[in-house]
Amino acid sequence: MRTSSFGSARGLTLLFSMLLLLLTPVCHLQGADGEATYVVDAARELGRINKNIYGHFAEHLGKCIYEGFWVGEDSEIPNTRGIRDDVIAALQQLNMPVLRWPGGCFADTYHWMDGIGPRDQRPARVNMFWGNVPESNAFGTHEFMDLCEQLGAEPYFAGNVGSGTPQEMSAWVEYLTYPGESALADLRRQNGREEPWTVRYWGVGNENWGCGGNMRVEYYTDLYRQFSTYLRDYGESDLYLIAGGPGGRNPEWLDVLMDGAGRMTDGVSMHYYTVPNTWQNKGSSLEFTEDEWFVTLQKALGIEDLIRDYISIMDRYDPRNRVGLIVDEWGTWYDPLPGTNPAFLRQQNTLRDALVAGATLNIFNEYRDRVKMANIAQTVNVLQAMVLTRAGEMVLTPTYHVFEMYKVHQNAQLLDAALETPEYEYDGEAIPRVSASASRDQAGTLHLSLCNLDPSSSVTLNCILKNADSGRIAGRILTAETMNAHNSFEAPESIGPAPFTQFEQTSNGLSVTLPAKSVVVLTIE
Ligand code: AHR
């Protein structure tokens, strides 16, 4: 039996839940095989879940931008000013709060002036990190802002530190946001945009320990200080600057960066990819055993330890919690699908990815104090995508459905809760079987997001609701018969959310049967 609890009154809550269980007339005993207990105190709001935790990332990589979002105005695929309508309509359902662009590794090769002005005069470049394919620059700054407006998402620009200059990045900010007269603002007007845009989020480089320049942290920290000096607020943008933090486990990088630049930044990024096997042989996105199912979820859950460790470093330099931990790349990374360009990072997306998404988002909710934004990689056709496209066709992935089901948590208040869960044991190792999160939205409705990570056994969750009446309850579930259930162009509706009714009200809450390998969201009015 594993116990996890969160909130400042963690110990007290647990004690309370023990007492409550002793008193409860419901016969779901702790420790019984396949039974979990979740005590939610609706009177204890722990703080707002920043909607930006449900953010996304789109890079000039493979078929994410070109073909995924951008087909051009002359395409037969229905589009609005070159951006495909089917993808926009699907993503609008997610209430996407923020979209990061143009990379990734691409960002530190990107010179933004290549992507403005008449399209037929934009220079073609080579996309050196992603297959040496031509980059037409047809999709640039104005197209990205149009995309964000069509999605209703806030833009998050990743600036070029690796091969760019402070002057170039500073000019990008001025071009986009300066309301007055200047050569750059006038150029923006000449290119069709009279009013300045509001662009708040700016990443100062990307993975500068790797593809962003292979720098040492001392050098990058100095560059961060230099670049950020010239990134100024014009108009109403109120810039939020994000320094390039560690990828995976690299506490030294974060430590030195916070020490040298913590006072000059609003956020520090971290990247966390879940690779089942090794970087050389990652494993198939579609054909996998329970062994890989287990290890994928085990590694995905590992982000929690890392977030905790990183928070403790940040707490030392920023005890008032001003600087956000921005997980601006996360998700599963498998071998490329056979027959595709390996540099395009195209993979399928199965029920396993849905469980990774559900459990990870529950973790982000829990650490919402510090985790102020997260951006899953990547929105269309790349890595753990929301949608896959093939010419004029599009399918929604299981991960898409989790983001759609979980959108109820955006900007809601996290509720104090304590979870006791049996373990999912596999081959001598164990992870918690249940992952859970509870919030209350602005209308007062409670939402529980629950995952059963075990692919074979259901679990009964005895949910005790304190200080709340469980009036009308409705539920949705994402599950399937097989671990690798997925949607394809041939069978686009194989897996999707369905109404969920396997719960009953009890004297102090509800009892929920979570089927094996499922994601459930309950709404309690
Ligand atoms: O998302 C794919 C790549 O992963 C990004 O370009 C890079 O930042 C990371 O290594």
Side-chain angles (χ1 to χ4, degrees):
M1 175 71 67
R2 267 204 201 214
T3 300
S4 80
S5 66
F6 42 85
S8 47
R10 153 182 305 202
L12 270 181
T13 308
L14 204 59
L15 193 65
F16 185 86
S17 72
M18 305 280 195
L19 283 173
L20 213 61
L21 275 170
L22 287 175
L23 299 175
T24 183
V26 181
C27 310
H28 293 307
L29 298 177
Q30 293 177 70
D33 189 27
E35 302 211 357
T37 304
Y38 193 41
V39 181
V40 178
D41 187 345
R44 283 188 50 81
E45 295 184 344
L46 298 180
R48 194 173 64 91
I49 298 168
N50 197 317
K51 66 176 182 191
N52 287 341
I53 283 174
Y54 292 81
H56 294 261
F57 167 43
E59 179 168 11
H60 287 237
L61 192 177
K63 298 191 174 188
C64 183
I65 295 297
Y66 298 109
E67 295 189 40
F69 279 118
W70 178 260
V71 286
E73 287 153 338
D74 300 331
S75 172
E76 284 175 3
I77 298 171
N79 68 84
T80 301
R81 295 179 294 281
I83 297 169
R84 52 191 295 171
D85 293 338
D86 53 353
V87 171
I88 292 291
L91 296 176
Q92 280 172 343
Q93 300 306 312
L94 305 183
N95 294 352
M96 182 186 290
V98 61
L99 181 62
R100 176 175 183 249
W101 174 84
C105 295
F106 182 81
D108 284 282
T109 67
Y110 185 60
H111 299 286
W112 66 270
M113 285 197 123
D114 290 346
I116 57 169
R119 269 188 220 110
D120 59 1
Q121 291 169 31
R122 297 185 193 175
R125 305 283 185 205
V126 178
N127 191 333
M128 69 169 72
F129 281 112
W130 304 118
N132 287 335
V133 294
E135 163 58 58
S136 69
N137 279 303
F139 188 93
T141 297
H142 289 249
E143 290 79 12
F144 175 61
M145 292 307 296
D146 190 12
L147 171 62
C148 288
E149 278 160 22
Q150 291 190 38
L151 290 169
E154 267 196 83
Y156 168 10
F157 281 80
N160 180 348
V161 170
S163 69
T165 63
Q167 186 276 334
E168 181 186 27
M169 192 169 169
S170 163
W172 207 5
V173 175
E174 182 182 329
Y175 179 87
L176 278 153
T177 67
Y178 189 64
E181 305 259 312
S182 81
L184 284 164
D186 290 344
L187 184 58
R188 181 191 71 228
R189 292 187 185 101
Q190 209 178 299
N191 288 331
R193 174 73 186 197
E194 181 60 35
E195 296 303 318
W197 280 290
T198 300
V199 181
R200 186 161 149 73
Y201 299 109
W202 289 89
V204 182
N206 169 78
E207 296 195 353
N208 300 92
W209 38 264
C211 63
N214 282 309
M215 298 170 191
R216 289 171 301 118
V217 63
E218 294 77 10
Y219 180 65
Y220 171 73
T221 301
D222 281 345
L223 281 186
Y224 176 85
R225 293 166 65 106
Q226 182 190 7
F227 272 65
S228 60
T229 305
Y230 303 100
L231 302 176
R232 314 297 298 204
D233 279 335
Y234 305 114
E236 298 177 352
S237 286
D238 187 20
L239 301 195
Y240 186 100
L241 301 185
I242 298 165
R249 182 169 287 281
N250 188 350
E252 296 77 24
W253 182 281
L254 183 61
D255 205 316
V256 175
L257 182 62
M258 282 300 294
D259 190 22
R263 281 176 301 281
M264 301 176 77
T265 192
D266 303 295
V268 176
S269 71
M270 69 172 269
H271 291 178
Y272 189 87
Y273 283 104
T274 297
V275 177
N277 302 326
T278 61
W279 280 98
Q280 290 68 39
N281 171 21
K282 303 180 185 74
S284 163
S285 57
L286 204 49
E287 307 299 332
F288 54 86
T289 58
E290 183 173 352
D291 198 61
E292 284 165 298
W293 167 281
F294 178 85
V295 85
T296 303
L297 290 167
Q298 187 182 43
K299 287 187 175 181
L301 294 177
I303 196 173
E304 182 167 6
D305 270 353
L306 201 55
I307 287 176
R308 242 192 249 129
D309 291 352
Y310 285 171
I311 289 176
S312 71
I313 293 172
M314 293 176 79
D315 282 348
R316 272 197 279 121
Y317 295 102
D318 176 38
R320 296 173 70 182
N321 191 16
R322 190 189 58 79
V323 181
L325 181 58
I326 309 296
V327 192
D328 58 16
E329 290 185 28
W330 70 273
T332 52
W333 194 327
Y334 308 113
D335 292 335
L337 280 179
T340 62
N341 183 333
F344 284 9
L345 310 186
R346 188 174 176 102
Q347 59 192 42
Q348 249 298 357
N349 192 297
T350 69
L351 183 55
R352 172 175 61 164
D353 297 275
L355 269 303
V356 168
T360 305
L361 291 169
N362 284 344
I363 292 169
F364 291 158
N365 283 357
E366 182 172 343
Y367 293 94
R368 87 249 145 256
D369 265 0
R370 224 10 133 171
V371 180
K372 298 180 200 261
M373 188 197 292
N375 310 74
I376 189 169
Q378 300 191 5
T379 322
V380 189
N381 291 333
V382 170
L383 299 178
Q384 193 174 348
M386 301 297 118
V387 300
L388 300 174
T389 66
R390 183 176 70 183
E393 298 171 284
M394 181 194 71
V395 293
L396 309 178
T397 66
T399 300
Y400 170 95
H401 291 303
V402 171
F403 271 75
E404 192 276 319
M405 291 163 72
Y406 272 52
K407 68 184 175 190
V408 290
H409 285 311
Q410 291 186 24
N411 277 345
Q413 283 287 333
L414 185 76
L415 296 177
D416 196 8
L419 173 68
E420 291 202 17
T421 169
E423 291 181 324
Y424 159 33
E425 288 173 29
Y426 183 81
D427 202 18
E429 301 212 26
I431 57 176
R433 194 184 296 179
V434 177
S435 153
S437 191
S439 73
R440 188 212 309 277
D441 68 19
Q442 277 146 6
T445 305
L446 306 192
H447 301 282
L448 309 184
S449 49
L450 311 166
C451 305
N452 179 357
L453 308 186
D454 191 319
S456 319
S457 308
S458 67
V459 56
T460 301
L461 183 87
N462 178 30
C463 179
I464 297 166
L465 285 180
K466 289 170 57 190
N467 299 309
D469 298 326
S470 51
R472 218 175 49 206
I473 307 178
R476 291 167 81 205
I477 184 167
L478 188 73
T479 189
E481 283 299 309
T482 57
M483 293 185 290
N484 71 345
H486 61 280
N487 291 326
S488 64
F489 298 103
E490 292 67 39
E493 312 244 314
S494 300
I495 170 167
F500 176 71
T501 53
Q502 285 173 265
F503 56 83
E504 58 190 40
Q505 281 176 272
T506 60
S507 58
N508 56 4
L510 60 157
S511 171
V512 188
T513 303
L514 292 175
K517 47 180 163 12
S518 64
V519 179
V520 166
V521 173
L522 292 173
T523 296
I524 305 169
E525 285 174 310

